[in-house]
């Protein structure tokens, strides 16, 4: 009778003609009433994004005419139009992905908010997932890799308490979709249909809207389309107006990759041999994004006419970091105070100053430590015969305090072409061994 039967952990789906019928498994929903409630909840929640797909709940009658089961009735979607299928085939899907970003932003704009939903805890979800992976038998994810992931996660969270308080205060914690993957998105001619939200546990739908979006971004990257993942998040923040730092983009993508790694670990423990490779690859993906999420304070200093201002501007522009110049603030203390506030909000910062006095360098180190941020010191140097013409063009001779020794600074010769000096500076900020092939960058948005 049924052309196809599909099974998931929680349901059995019968595909017949133009419809799909989903049966909730008694193992997960023990009573008939519980299965009825689960069916009605699934329809109600998924109608938020696909009202014309979820047609309703059907009652199944037994021989005696009484209801013996309930089914979710859905309009059947064409398998060949799954977003995952199209991405794997290299088909052009940008417009569909853009439309998904718009629909998700709209869902979040009208989603439930409130104190109960705000209780969503990033740290508890991370630590629980890490401990579950540690507890599974077999070295699916190497202990050293798992330890490094945990260290980077906790360092990010420890320094970003003010960021997460801001996310709650600004209403970014919402009742979202919770399971946004390319396999459950269908790209139809009149627009995408987004199916199968997490309907069984509402706590898993209470999350940061950016976290919700990050799941699909991770999935697209996993499917081999990192550029599409980048575009999707750019479109999401454009439509939602969310000005979160890109460090948070990376952090949430890392979390989603690790959650999927955990699922692969579970499958491996149940006998799926191939899942071990998948778990390791996903854990490595999470690690790359955690390195990219690391908030960084870059000190760019040097004597007058050393090219530090030019290099600092180019570095901030290339990395998407916030640039603060000592010439724009009353004092070095105010410069560091502003930098520390930004670091706590997840914004990496480039500070352009002479940094001649080791006292202020020590204060910068303390600011980085208090916000659990990386610190990189760059000392710009140039031959005197190249600095002299630069000094001669300045109307006001700069003050030239003697540079105290700066042993932990990496020297950057700014007498060479700017692009070469910039390449060396970029390598200092993000060493090649961290394997950060690319980083998210926010689209330019007009200020309010």
């Amino acid at each position: 009778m049924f052309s196809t039967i599909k099974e998931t952990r929680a349901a059995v789906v019968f595909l017949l003609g133009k419809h799909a019928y989903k049966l909730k498994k008694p193992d997960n929903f023990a009573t008939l009433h519980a299965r009825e409630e689960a069916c009605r909840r699934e329809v109600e929640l998924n109608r938020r994004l696909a009202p014309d797909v979820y047609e309703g709940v059907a009652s199944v009658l037994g021989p005696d005419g009484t209801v013996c089961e309930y089914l979710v009735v859905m309009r059947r979607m064409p398998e060949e139009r799954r977003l995952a299928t199209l991405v794997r085939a290299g088909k052009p899907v940008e417009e569909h992905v853009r439309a998904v970003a718009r629909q998700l932003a709209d869902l979040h704009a009208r989603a439930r908010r409130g104190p109960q939903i705000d209780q969503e805890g990033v740290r508890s979800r991370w630590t629980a997932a890490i401990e579950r992976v540690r507890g599974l038998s077999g070295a699916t994810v190497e202990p050293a890799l798992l330890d490094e992931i945990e260290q980077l996660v906790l360092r990010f969270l420890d320094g970003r308490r003010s960021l997460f308080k801001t996310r709650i205060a600004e209403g970014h914690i919402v009742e979202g979709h919770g399971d946004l993957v390319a396999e459950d998105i269908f790209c139809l001619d009149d627009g995408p249909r987004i199916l199968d939200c997490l309907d069984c546990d509402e706590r898993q739908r209470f999350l940061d809207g950016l976290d919700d979006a990050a799941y699909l971004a991770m999935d697209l990257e996993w499917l081999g389309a990192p550029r599409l993942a980048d575009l999707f998040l750019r479109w999401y923040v454009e439509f939602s107006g969310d000005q979160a730092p890109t460090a948070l983009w990376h952090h949430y993508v890392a979390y989603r990759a690790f959650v999927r790694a955990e699922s692969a670990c579970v499958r491996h423990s149940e006998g799926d041999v191939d899942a071990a490779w998948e778990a390791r690859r996903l854990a490595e993906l999470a690690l790359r994004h955690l390195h990219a999420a690391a908030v960084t304070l870059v000190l760019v200093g040097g004597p007058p006419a050393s090219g530090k201002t030019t290099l600092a501007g180019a570095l901030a522009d290339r990395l998407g970091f916030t640039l603060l110049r000592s010439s724009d603030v009353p004092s070095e203390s105010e410069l560091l105070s502003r930098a520390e506030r930004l670091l706590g909000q997840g914004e990496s910062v480039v500070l352009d100053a002479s940094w001649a006095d080791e006292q202020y360098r020590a204060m910068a180190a303390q600011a980085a430590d208090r916000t659990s941020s990386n610190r990189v010191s760059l000392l710009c140097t140039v031959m005197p015969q190249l600095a002299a013409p630069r000094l001669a063009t300045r109307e006001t001779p700069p003050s030239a305090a003697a540079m105290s020794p700066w042993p932990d600074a990496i020297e950057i010769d700014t007498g060479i072409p700017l692009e070469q000096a910039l390449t060396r500076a970029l390598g200092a900020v993000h060493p090649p061994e961290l394997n950060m092939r690319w980083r998210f960058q926010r689209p330019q948005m007009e200020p309010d």
Side-chain angles (χ1 to χ4, degrees):
M1 176 182 177
F2 293 99
S3 59
T4 305
I5 298 177
K6 294 186 176 182
E7 188 170 354
T8 68
R9 287 183 176 271
V12 179
V13 180
F14 306 94
L15 303 177
L16 178 62
K18 296 181 178 181
H19 287 87
Y21 303 90
K22 184 180 290 187
L23 170 68
K24 301 290 184 181
K25 288 183 177 180
D27 290 349
N28 301 92
F29 306 95
T31 68
L32 180 63
H33 176 70
R35 294 195 292 279
E36 179 188 12
E37 289 298 308
C39 287
R40 297 196 185 283
R41 183 169 58 249
E42 178 176 351
V43 170
E44 177 185 359
L45 289 168
N46 281 289
R47 278 178 173 173
R48 296 177 302 167
L49 288 169
D52 62 341
V53 174
Y54 288 79
E55 297 186 355
V57 177
S59 303
V60 179
L61 303 181
D64 60 356
T66 61
V67 176
C68 63
E69 198 53 83
Y70 292 94
L71 302 173
V72 174
V73 182
M74 302 167 60
R75 174 183 157 204
R76 188 173 177 179
M77 296 286 99
E79 291 290 328
E80 70 278 6
R81 302 304 294 272
R82 289 184 186 271
L83 177 57
T85 301
L86 297 174
V87 170
R88 290 190 188 101
K91 302 294 184 182
V93 294
E94 284 82 0
E95 286 306 310
H96 293 290
V97 171
R98 190 172 189 271
V100 171
R102 184 185 291 277
Q103 289 182 20
L104 187 65
D106 179 65
L107 171 68
H108 293 162
R110 51 189 169 85
R112 280 202 298 156
R113 288 168 168 80
Q116 178 188 8
I117 294 173
D118 288 342
Q119 292 175 7
E120 178 267 344
V122 180
R123 180 184 291 266
S124 60
R125 290 192 294 142
W126 262 114
T127 54
I130 290 171
E131 288 309 308
R132 284 193 295 266
V133 171
R134 278 205 177 100
L136 291 169
S137 60
T140 310
V141 178
E142 293 83 353
L145 175 57
L146 195 56
D147 289 345
E148 186 176 6
I149 287 173
E150 183 176 40
Q151 180 184 21
L152 289 171
V153 166
L154 296 180
R155 180 172 171 79
F156 181 88
L157 296 177
D158 287 343
R160 254 42 66 192
R161 291 185 176 90
S162 62
L163 169 62
F164 288 104
K165 287 180 181 177
T166 298
R167 300 296 292 175
I168 293 173
E170 293 181 350
H172 292 293
I173 313 303
V174 300
E175 182 181 24
H177 184 280
D179 194 22
L180 192 67
V181 294
E183 194 70 20
D184 294 330
I185 298 173
F186 293 84
C187 303
L188 307 186
D189 292 341
D190 59 346
R193 302 298 192 277
I194 303 171
L195 312 185
D196 287 342
C197 77
L198 269 175
D199 57 87
C200 57
D201 184 354
E202 68 174 10
R203 292 172 299 176
Q204 296 184 51
R205 295 193 307 275
F206 298 165
L207 74 177
D208 192 314
L210 185 62
D211 182 8
D212 213 9
Y215 205 158
L216 181 57
M218 181 280 296
D219 198 31
L220 291 171
E221 185 176 353
W222 179 246
L223 290 169
R227 176 182 170 275
L228 197 59
D230 187 16
L231 286 173
F232 171 69
L233 284 183
R234 284 169 170 262
W235 285 324
Y236 171 78
V237 301
E238 176 186 345
F239 294 135
S240 65
D242 187 346
Q243 299 189 37
T246 54
L248 193 60
W249 301 19
H250 284 289
H251 185 83
Y252 281 141
V253 170
Y255 172 71
R256 291 301 180 174
F258 191 80
V259 167
R260 186 168 288 181
E262 179 195 346
S263 297
C265 290
V266 171
R267 296 203 314 275
H268 179 258
S269 69
E270 294 172 346
D272 184 347
V273 177
D274 294 336
W277 171 87
E278 183 179 337
R280 284 192 292 271
R281 288 286 307 278
L282 283 161
E284 290 166 357
L285 176 61
L287 181 62
R288 288 200 298 275
H289 279 282
L290 287 170
H291 278 302
V295 179
T296 304
L297 176 64
V298 184
L299 310 183
V300 182
S306 61
K308 62 181 181 299
T309 296
T310 300
L311 180 66
L315 188 63
D317 184 61
R318 184 67 61 88
L319 292 173
F321 289 6
T322 299
L323 174 63
L324 297 178
R325 292 192 168 101
S326 60
S327 58
D328 297 331
V329 296
S331 67
E332 284 85 349
S333 296
E334 175 60 23
L335 182 73
L336 290 171
S337 178
R338 293 185 186 183
E340 186 167 344
R341 289 194 297 271
L342 287 166
L343 294 169
Q345 288 290 327
E347 299 285 359
S348 291
V349 179
V350 175
L351 293 183
D352 168 22
S354 69
W355 301 110
D357 190 335
E358 63 182 338
Q359 173 188 352
Y360 291 114
R361 299 200 297 262
M363 291 171 62
Q366 292 165 6
D369 289 344
R370 283 193 294 269
T371 57
S372 300
S373 302
N374 294 342
R375 178 174 54 88
V376 178
S377 300
L378 304 177
L379 173 59
C380 296
T381 61
V382 66
M383 296 175 67
Q385 57 265 40
L386 294 178
R390 300 175 183 173
L391 288 169
T393 61
R394 300 187 178 183
E395 295 181 3
T396 304
S399 58
M403 289 288 299
S404 61
W406 198 357
D408 65 341
I410 299 169
E411 290 194 13
I412 306 293
D413 180 5
T414 58
I416 60 178
L418 176 60
E419 191 61 33
Q420 294 179 28
L422 179 58
T423 298
R424 177 164 168 75
L426 290 168
V429 177
H430 291 145
E433 61 267 22
L434 295 184
N435 193 25
M436 288 191 291
R437 294 186 291 269
W438 59 277
R439 289 173 52 91
F440 294 126
Q441 289 213 20
R442 283 176 296 204
Q444 296 295 320
M445 291 187 287
E446 294 296 325
D448 294 336

